[in-house]
Amino acid sequence: MALTPEDVVTKQFQHVRFKEGFDPDEVDDFLDEIVVEWRKTIAENEELKARVAELESGAAAAAAAVAVVETAPEPEAVVEEVPAPVAAAPATGGAAASAGIIELAQRLHDEHVAEGQAQRDKLISDAQAQHDKLISDAQAQAASILADAEAKSRDEIARLDAERATLETRISELRQFERDYRSQLRGFIEEKLRDLDVAGATSGSSVSAS
């Protein structure tokens, strides 16, 4: 089935999943340019067809006029003075001229049609190349974004591992400090309790002596 401007207008492109993909507005604008040029070519072709039809209509009218002239009765003086082959010559020349005009018009029409088709094929080829380039650029950008994301993820994991190691070291230091503090506090309390025992024993001895 031949491609039409409406096919280009209604053509749908699949979007990539990344924001950095091809710009749909740019693709639509480019396709609009294709449609404008294509419709202009079609209009020129229709105009040429109309001109060819007009020329063919004029040639038919000329042929009919020649036929009327040939069938019309001529005055006797004209018949006697002008031989029949001379009278038939204008009809032959007019038909040849009409055929030449029709052939020229047909050739011009064919040339314009061929030129329009070549231009259409070139525009479609350019559009496809542009579309392929946009897809390729989008895929390259997607690969670059994915690589950057993986690199950032690795860096973040390394940073978190380093922070975790630092926190674990700090926790170990705090636990050791807690153990040391408890030990010192226990020793201090035990020492004070011994002092109290000694002081109590000393006081008891003094009271007994009295």
Side-chain angles (χ1 to χ4, degrees), residues 161-180:
D161 288 340
E163 290 183 357
R164 182 181 63 183
T166 301
L167 290 174
E168 289 176 350
T169 301
R170 182 59 177 166
I171 290 172
S172 298
E173 292 175 353
L174 290 174
R175 286 177 177 173
Q176 183 62 39
F177 174 78
E178 180 185 8
R179 287 193 295 268
D180 294 341

Side-chain angles (χ1 to χ4, degrees), residues 149-170:
E150 291 177 350
K152 290 180 180 178
S153 177
R154 289 193 297 269
D155 293 342
E156 185 65 16
I157 291 174
R159 185 182 67 81
L160 292 175
D161 288 340
E163 290 183 357
R164 182 181 63 183
T166 301
L167 290 174
E168 289 176 350
T169 301
R170 182 59 177 166

Side-chain angles (χ1 to χ4, degrees), residues 9 29 32 63 71 77 80 88 106 115 129 142 164 169 173 180 201 203 205 209:
V9 173
D29 292 340
D32 289 340
T71 57
E80 293 177 357
Q106 184 63 40
E115 182 180 356
R164 182 181 63 183
T169 301
E173 292 175 353
D180 294 341
S203 298
S205 299

